[in-house]
Amino acid sequence: MTPSASLTIFSPAFAQGQPIPQQYTCQGKDISPPLTWSQIPDGSQSLALIMDDPDAPVGTWVHWVLYNLPPTLNGLP
């Protein structure tokens, strides 16, 4: 099956390519930024989201993994 659209994901808390604001880091409140996504491919049965940091001093660091999210969900606060 060929996807009908490309998944788009962004955070309203910061612009693409910009640093994550301090409140969302371990130097701030250490909370996850809000995320929004759209254009979920037709036929998707669930979504998985991996937050990793390829620039971490120890190499790529996986902060968290979410899976089995319903495809009707369009973001996380």
Side-chain angles (χ1 to χ4, degrees):
M1 174 187 307
T2 303
S4 61
S6 296
L7 179 68
T8 302
I9 186 167
F10 73 96
S11 177
F14 58 96
Q16 182 176 344
Q18 297 301 306
I20 296 175
Q22 186 172 345
Q23 71 179 5
Y24 302 111
T25 72
C26 63
Q27 295 154 348
K29 293 182 181 179
D30 199 18
I31 57 176
S32 298
L35 298 172
T36 302
W37 51 82
S38 62
Q39 299 179 325
I40 306 214
D42 291 340
S44 296
Q45 295 182 3
S46 70
L47 303 174
L49 184 60
I50 301 169
M51 175 58 186
D52 67 3
D53 181 357
D55 298 329
V58 296
T60 300
W61 176 262
V62 177
H63 290 274
W64 41 258
V65 175
L66 300 172
Y67 60 93
N68 205 23
L69 299 169
T72 54
L73 191 64
N74 62 6
L76 295 171

